[in-house]
Amino acid sequence: MDESISLAPSPQANGVDGLAVAQSLAARGFKVFPVKQLGKAPANRNGFRSASSDPADWHDGTGQWWAGSHANDNVGIACGPYPDGRCLVVIDLDRHDGGADGVEAWRTKAAEHDDFETLIVATPNEGAHVYFWSGCEIASGAGPAPGIDIKAAGGYVLSQGSALPGGVYEVALDKPISLIPDWVMGWIKSSREEPTEARAPRPVTVPRQMSTPRTGPSSTDEWAARTDWA
């Protein structure tokens, strides 16, 4: 996959230009498929399972994708295994009125670790999708904190350029997708461990200090600073 990621074409006045968005993402190696206009449900027969980065595959029993009455369909990106052996993992951060705030949980955890740079897409509900590559397969499921979900094998996300009634998915931090940090992988795995009565108490650990002091804002802070929070 081409590691250079840029903003997909913006929605037109009459809705998303689905084909242009899909072509832009497919050119960078993303496996894409159609999602219902202004919605999140697949618009094709097999959903993300038939996602492809090859335009020759963009049709099925439902017809040609992003054509005719479906020209303004959204674009889904399949997560999980890719042909080069890597696994696309998206950390889905949601914010709920009066409830869980995945954005704040992520920012608090990330502040404890070395900085990283990767693609971040802002979602219409003031949340975000944080993209990573993993060298091993990870399953989709609940995340390590309330308001955080993991989109990986068996999952998908809406792409930048897609739209919901409440707004548009837009690139918030335009960086190449990085390898998932060890602390993120450990955080995910620890939340999926099966509790057992026989498990010994975990040793108390001293928070790891950054090897190099920060001299400016982190990538997470940069994204937050660019966001016009309601």
Side-chain angles (χ1 to χ4, degrees):
M1 176 183 288
D2 184 351
E3 296 298 337
S4 177
I5 305 296
S6 60
L7 180 63
S10 299
Q12 299 177 330
N14 62 340
V16 173
D17 185 347
L19 183 59
V21 173
Q23 290 173 333
S24 175
L25 294 167
R28 294 169 174 83
F30 284 103
K31 297 189 298 184
V32 296
F33 66 100
V35 174
K36 292 182 179 180
Q37 183 177 356
L38 296 178
K40 294 184 177 182
N44 60 331
R45 176 161 292 176
N46 294 313
F48 69 88
R49 293 177 180 82
S50 56
S52 174
S53 58
D54 185 352
D57 297 331
W58 294 351
H59 63 85
D60 57 20
T62 62
Q64 189 71 36
W65 299 350
W66 301 294
S69 61
H70 293 283
N72 301 132
D73 280 353
N74 281 329
V75 179
I77 294 177
C79 300
Y82 267 65
D84 62 3
R86 295 182 296 179
C87 179
L88 183 62
V89 180
V90 179
I91 312 298
D92 183 6
L93 310 178
D94 285 327
R95 310 191 91 166
H96 303 284
D97 292 339
D101 189 337
V103 171
E104 189 58 34
W106 173 261
R107 293 178 63 187
T108 299
K109 187 70 174 180
E112 302 173 359
H113 300 272
D114 291 342
D115 194 19
F116 60 88
E117 293 185 336
T118 195
L119 174 66
I120 298 178
V121 174
T123 64
N125 66 345
E126 297 186 351
H129 289 160
V130 185
Y131 285 70
F132 291 114
W133 286 117
S134 170
C136 62
E137 185 171 323
I138 300 174
S140 293
I148 300 180
D149 289 318
I150 307 301
K151 305 295 185 180
Y156 67 91
V157 294
L158 290 187
S159 74
Q160 56 266 39
S162 293
L164 296 178
V168 180
Y169 289 75
E170 298 179 326
V171 171
L173 191 62
D174 191 2
K175 301 291 183 180
I177 300 175
S178 73
L179 186 65
I180 190 167
D182 289 342
W183 69 264
V184 177
M185 182 69 81
W187 197 27
I188 294 172
K189 287 184 176 180
S190 67
S191 69
R192 296 181 175 184
E193 292 176 349
E194 292 293 337
T196 61
E197 294 181 359
R199 177 176 297 159
R202 294 180 180 176
V204 176
T205 58
V206 178
R208 181 167 61 90
Q209 299 297 317
M210 290 168 41
S211 56
T212 303
R214 288 183 183 152
T215 57
S218 70
S219 59
T220 303
D221 292 334
E222 182 181 347
W223 154 57
R226 293 180 180 179
T227 303
D228 183 16
W229 302 109

